[in-house]
Amino acid sequence: MQLSVLERTKLEKCKEYLRLFLMDTEELNRLLRRKEIDDKRLDLAIQLCISDWNTTTPRIGVVTVGNFPSLYLLIHGAAIQCLKMAGLYQSRNELTYSSGGSSFVRANKTAYYQSWIQNFSSEYETKKLNLKMQQA
């Protein structure tokens, strides 16, 4: 997909805001000591949010990162996608190990991700529908 200079600039700014919103920085991820979500996944999350907007009724035209009607909805929609990706990763890598009376659980954060996804999704879907109805 070819982006104009303006769209590329807006995409980079959106990724910056998204990373700030998710608090996904090396300094704040003390256990990981790295960013949890790389730039390719941020790009994907933003594109999935835009695709969601464009395919949800009422269909009121096609938007891009350059003319998305609400920064709030773009960041929240992309954050939901990031949480889904990270939650899938956590679920896939969950491990419970027991030996000699001791147990160890690795990557058991799936429920936390599901809770955040549910929390964000209900607000996002309501606001998205309201804005689309206003614009229709």
Side-chain angles (χ1 to χ4, degrees), residues 54-136:
N54 286 332
T55 59
T56 301
T57 56
R59 296 179 85 174
I60 53 174
V62 176
V63 300
T64 66
V65 70
N67 66 353
F68 200 87
S70 167
L71 177 62
Y72 182 89
L73 287 175
L74 182 57
I75 297 299
H76 274 73
I80 291 165
Q81 298 302 324
C82 288
L83 289 168
K84 285 179 179 180
M85 287 185 260
L88 286 169
Y89 173 79
Q90 290 289 326
S91 295
R92 187 173 44 255
N93 289 292
E94 190 167 317
L95 171 68
T96 304
Y97 177 76
S98 301
S99 178
S102 297
S103 63
F104 173 77
V105 179
R106 183 195 179 310
N108 64 338
K109 295 182 174 38
T110 302
Y112 295 119
Y113 281 95
Q114 289 173 332
S115 176
W116 281 110
I117 292 165
Q118 183 178 8
N119 179 290
F120 285 161
S121 292
S122 60
E123 179 186 5
Y124 168 77
E125 290 298 331
T126 299
K127 288 186 178 214
K128 178 179 72 174
L129 180 61
N130 287 341
L131 183 56
K132 289 191 97 164
M133 294 302 286
Q134 287 175 2
Q135 293 182 342

Side-chain angles (χ1 to χ4, degrees), residues 13-73:
K13 187 55 90 174
C14 185
K15 289 191 316 191
E16 179 185 335
Y17 289 157
L18 182 56
R19 196 169 297 285
L20 288 171
F21 179 79
L22 293 170
M23 300 182 74
D24 187 24
T25 64
E26 293 173 16
E27 305 83 44
L28 296 175
N29 290 338
R30 292 181 187 108
L31 296 176
L32 296 175
R33 295 185 180 169
R34 63 176 173 79
K35 296 173 186 170
E36 182 176 22
I37 302 166
D38 63 25
D39 281 351
K40 281 187 177 183
R41 286 177 183 81
L42 290 180
D43 286 338
L44 175 60
I46 292 164
Q47 292 306 319
L48 289 172
C49 177
I50 294 168
S51 177
D52 174 59
W53 176 273
N54 286 332
T55 59
T56 301
T57 56
R59 296 179 85 174
I60 53 174
V62 176
V63 300
T64 66
V65 70
N67 66 353
F68 200 87
S70 167
L71 177 62
Y72 182 89
L73 287 175

